[in-house]
Amino acid sequence: MLARVWSAAIAGIDAIKVGVEVDVAGGLPKTVIVGLPDTAIQESRERVKAALRNAGFAFPVRKIVVNLAPADLRKEGPSFDLPIAIGILAASEQVNPQLLGDYLFLGELSLDGSLRPVAGVLPIAAAASRLGIAGLVVPVDNAQEAAVVKEIAVYGFRHLEEVARFLDCPEKYQPVEIDSKAKLAESQNNYLDLKDVKGQVQARRALEIAAAGGHNLIFVGPPGSGKTMLAKRLPGILPNLDFNEALDVSQIHSVAGLLKDRGSLITTRPFRSPHHSASGPSLVGGGSFPRPGEISLAHKGVLFLDELTEFKRNVLEYLRQPLEDGCVTISRTRQSVVFPAQFTLVASTNPCPCGYFGDPIQPCTCSPRQREQYWAKLSGPLMDRIDLQVVVNRLKPEEMTGQTTGEASKSIRDRVTVARDRARSRFKPDSQVSCNAEMRSHHLREFCQLDDSSRNLLEGAIRKLGLSARGMDRILKVSRTIADLAGDEAVKSSHVAEAIQYRTIDRMQ
């Protein structure tokens, strides 16, 4: 007898409907799985056989052929265990097959028949209604994750036997429901507070500008000056995630297998901080079945690269395309996938190999040649894509021992949110642009018009600092953000002058 069960495969962060066709017929006892399965799926033959027997079902002592259609799509992972088991039960007339066409099944089977969570459930649930599916059957540990999507009924089970009973009498079971928006609102303030940072007025101002305009930022300063402490507080002044943004972020983490232990929804801005020994593929993603890397996991959040000059130069060059396009394209022989990567880059580095160049207390021991080689690790095109370059000096003794605290993150976030809303209202006809850092050339011509005084100031900076056209555009974008924070419609010379001050590295070179 032939049975068909629906499941799904992940390509990037998109879901593709997969038909699991099971034929139980005469012949020597043997189970064959075809349709480009990976090793984990091939091994499911033994897991499914043991699970069926230990759950009290009969495993057919006949020839079983399992086809995963479409046959030209590569499939991976243990999520096909449950649909294969249900297909065998339906083909051997041990469960009711009438509802199989209405539901999509996902889950890994333990040998005792219990269901274990799998990765990628959320993007499958998000695409299920488009795929023509009425309901989703998943392990109970994935149910909260899938139930974020309201357009489809989600049922979570702990054991294969429960799934069989559900197919025989579905009206006895209620779908899982959660209040995602309430959950989102409860977790919005779970951030480090900027009021913990003493002093560093210019660095705090740079963080506010970076948050308001989505600008990339680098801190340059000696060890112990607070660069990392400042960077970790940037998510706390970014606007709160809305539901659609949280859903996008959660889907990426679901595909990466990071959502199983973090609940149903990512409710706070991601903050990713890979070590400087990280490889290029670990940053951009990859693998034979492409998975998102650190820059995609930082989508809608912050990617922090501490000790930037310690990263290999070829690894840093991987950042150029996503910084420009907001996405990562990974190409393989059989497929090409695109992962979103709209993040704010925050980097920190010492000013020289010893770390104390320009420090008023600790003398620098590096030669000019060593400092030149140190900065040569950062290419010009990469530095052009970093809008704000800020020197962070060590605190004075009276600042360290003083009781005065800085402004709290909440009040700064309120100003940032107003500035972002003001920018978004300008870009409303263009849905591809959500903040000033993403402006294109025609936006600059329309929204960053300069008077004679501002133009002369910018031209002088270009000549003195040797700025490229991209560097000039970055100054204009930062100027537009400073104007938005000030509530000004026009970009003034004071805004341009402040933006030029954030080209520290250009002045050092």
Side-chain angles (χ1 to χ4, degrees):
M1 183 177 174
L2 176 66
R4 174 182 290 142
V5 181
W6 293 115
S7 189
I10 294 292
I13 60 170
D14 297 320
I16 300 174
K17 192 175 181 180
V18 174
V20 181
E21 301 170 335
V22 179
D23 179 61
V24 177
L28 293 174
K30 185 179 182 181
T31 302
V32 179
I33 301 178
V34 296
L36 291 182
D38 72 343
T39 303
I41 299 176
Q42 292 286 6
E43 292 174 347
S44 69
R45 291 176 296 186
E46 303 305 322
R47 288 194 299 272
V48 169
K49 182 185 297 186
L52 288 175
R53 289 175 174 169
N54 291 324
F57 298 101
F59 188 84
V61 189
R62 307 174 72 182
K63 183 176 181 179
I64 302 173
V65 178
V66 179
N67 178 44
L68 307 178
D72 60 346
L73 174 70
R74 297 178 67 189
K75 295 92 179 174
E76 65 157 341
S79 62
F80 290 97
D81 287 4
L82 179 59
I84 290 174
I86 295 299
I88 293 175
L89 291 176
S92 59
E93 301 181 338
Q94 298 182 70
V95 297
N96 185 358
Q98 293 183 355
L99 299 178
L100 295 184
D102 298 330
Y103 294 91
L104 189 147
F105 297 81
L106 295 166
E108 178 184 347
L109 283 173
S110 295
L111 298 186
D112 62 356
S114 59
L115 297 177
R116 303 183 62 180
V118 294
V121 170
L122 182 55
I124 293 174
S129 59
R130 174 176 55 83
L131 297 174
I133 297 297
L136 198 64
V137 176
V138 297
V140 69
D141 291 337
N142 286 128
Q144 295 283 320
E145 173 185 343
V148 169
V149 181
K150 300 299 183 182
E151 292 78 12
I152 187 170
V154 176
Y155 298 87
F157 299 102
R158 298 185 182 277
H159 199 275
L160 177 60
E161 186 180 1
E162 297 177 24
V163 180
R165 290 201 301 265
F166 166 77
L167 292 173
D168 289 334
C169 194
E171 60 273 8
K172 291 184 178 181
Y173 297 84
Q174 295 295 322
V176 177
E177 295 183 0
I178 64 169
D179 190 345
S180 300
K181 294 186 178 180
K183 182 179 177 64
L184 186 64
E186 290 174 0
S187 305
Q188 293 289 14
N189 296 317
N190 189 22
Y191 297 106
L192 296 174
D193 202 313
L194 199 55
K195 71 179 181 181
D196 300 329
V197 179
K198 296 181 179 180
Q200 306 298 1
V201 176
Q202 187 184 34
R204 293 169 61 94
R205 171 66 172 171
L207 280 175
E208 182 175 346
I209 295 171
H215 302 290
N216 302 316
L217 168 68
I218 184 171
F219 290 126
V220 182
S225 56
K227 303 185 295 294
T228 301
M229 187 177 186
L230 286 160
K232 288 183 176 180
R233 280 152 178 79
L234 177 57
I237 62 174
L238 289 170
N240 292 330
L241 285 173
D242 61 34
F243 179 74
N244 290 329
E245 289 177 328
L247 188 60
D248 289 343
V249 172
S250 299
Q251 288 187 58
I252 297 172
H253 284 71
S254 177
V255 171
L258 301 177
L259 200 59
K260 293 184 288 185
D261 300 325
R262 296 190 60 180
S264 59
L265 196 67
I266 301 294
T267 58
T268 56
R269 297 271 178 184
F271 183 89
R272 306 295 298 186
S273 181
H275 191 261
H276 60 74
S277 62
S279 64
S282 71
L283 285 182
V284 301
S288 55
F289 292 92
R291 286 288 180 265
E294 290 291 336
I295 60 177
S296 293
L297 293 172
H299 182 61
K300 299 298 181 182
V302 176
L303 178 68
F304 177 47
L305 301 184
D306 198 9
E307 303 297 342
L308 184 67
T309 49
E310 298 299 323
F311 284 79
K312 295 180 181 178
R313 176 164 178 155
N314 66 311
V315 172
L316 294 177
E317 295 304 302
Y318 280 96
L319 295 171
R320 289 167 57 176
Q321 185 236 341
L323 284 175
E324 198 70 23
D325 300 335
C327 63
V328 175
T329 302
I330 301 175
S331 298
R332 294 292 180 264
T333 304
R334 291 182 176 270
Q335 64 176 333
S336 179
V337 300
V338 178
F339 291 115
Q342 294 179 336
F343 59 90
T344 299
L345 174 65
V346 180
S348 70
T349 185
N350 295 329
C352 64
C354 78
Y356 294 102
F357 179 68
D359 187 78
I361 300 176
Q362 182 78 22
C364 175
T365 59
C366 304
S367 67
R369 176 63 176 169
Q370 287 175 316
R371 290 195 292 269
E372 181 181 348
Q373 291 176 337
Y374 184 76
W375 284 104
K377 297 178 182 179
L378 307 180
S379 67
L382 176 62
M383 295 309 300
D384 272 350
R385 289 170 169 82
I386 299 180
D387 307 357
L388 303 166
Q389 306 164 0
V390 182
V391 170
V392 181
N393 296 313
R394 72 166 74 200
L395 294 176
K396 299 176 181 177
E398 56 270 23
E399 290 177 317
M400 288 190 286
T401 59
Q403 299 301 314
T404 304
T405 60
E407 187 178 6
S409 291
K410 185 181 183 304
S411 58
I412 299 175
R413 183 169 64 244
D414 291 341
R415 292 198 301 270
V416 166
T417 301
V418 171
R420 285 240 184 176
D421 289 343
R422 183 178 289 113
R424 193 176 292 111
S425 66
R426 288 196 299 267
F427 307 132
K428 195 171 184 180
D430 189 349
S431 59
Q432 300 300 315
V433 177
S434 61
C435 61
N436 290 330
E438 299 172 2
M439 287 193 295
R440 304 302 180 189
S441 297
H442 65 280
H443 296 124
L444 294 176
R445 290 192 297 270
E446 182 177 358
F447 303 127
C448 300
Q449 297 182 11
L450 303 179
D451 56 23
D452 291 340
S453 174
S454 300
R455 188 176 297 106
N456 292 334
L457 186 62
L458 181 58
E459 289 175 356
I462 294 172
R463 283 192 291 267
K464 184 174 182 179
L465 302 178
L467 296 176
S468 65
R470 184 183 288 113
M472 180 196 71
D473 288 347
R474 299 289 172 177
I475 289 179
L476 289 175
K477 293 176 182 179
V478 173
S479 301
R480 179 66 267 174
T481 299
I482 295 172
D484 287 340
L485 285 169
D488 295 328
E489 288 298 324
V491 176
K492 302 177 181 178
S493 58
S494 59
H495 306 145
V496 176
E498 183 178 359
I500 293 172
Q501 293 301 309
Y502 296 114
R503 305 300 300 187
T504 300
I505 296 178
D506 295 322
R507 299 198 302 270
M508 290 172 58
Q509 294 175 340

